[in-house]
Amino acid sequence: MTETFSKSRQRAEIAFGNVQSQFFAKNKAVEELESDVQSQQAKTLRLREARLSRERSDRASATAALVARRARAG
């Protein structure tokens, strides 16, 4: 079942195929960018949580050291 199209129809089919390929390539690029942004946001959140945890730990140990120093002095 081979179809033969006129020259203008063949050109139109080729042009449509090119546009369709560009459309799908653009969508793929957008999906990749969105994926990169999501992974970057997840990493940023993970790092922020680690930093805040470290700061809380540092603050608690500094407070404990201060309380111990005052207890020894007084």
Side-chain angles (χ1 to χ4, degrees), residues 2-28:
T2 317
E3 297 182 48
T4 45
F5 298 116
S6 66
K7 292 285 184 187
S8 60
R9 172 71 186 259
Q10 289 174 356
R11 283 193 299 269
E13 291 287 339
I14 291 170
F16 177 74
N18 291 340
V19 169
Q20 196 172 25
S21 295
Q22 290 172 358
F23 174 77
F24 287 125
K26 178 185 169 219
N27 282 347
K28 184 178 179 200

Side-chain angles (χ1 to χ4, degrees), residues 15-70:
F16 177 74
N18 291 340
V19 169
Q20 196 172 25
S21 295
Q22 290 172 358
F23 174 77
F24 287 125
K26 178 185 169 219
N27 282 347
K28 184 178 179 200
V30 168
E31 289 173 3
E32 288 175 1
L33 286 174
E34 288 173 351
S35 174
D36 289 347
V37 167
Q38 287 177 350
S39 66
Q40 182 181 13
Q41 288 174 342
K43 182 177 180 181
T44 299
L45 181 61
R46 213 171 37 250
L47 290 172
R48 180 180 296 127
E49 289 298 322
R51 177 181 51 82
L52 292 175
S53 176
R54 186 181 65 243
E55 287 175 355
R56 280 191 297 268
S57 174
D58 290 349
R59 193 175 303 125
S61 64
T63 302
L66 223 146
V67 168
R69 189 179 321 148
R70 286 186 181 170

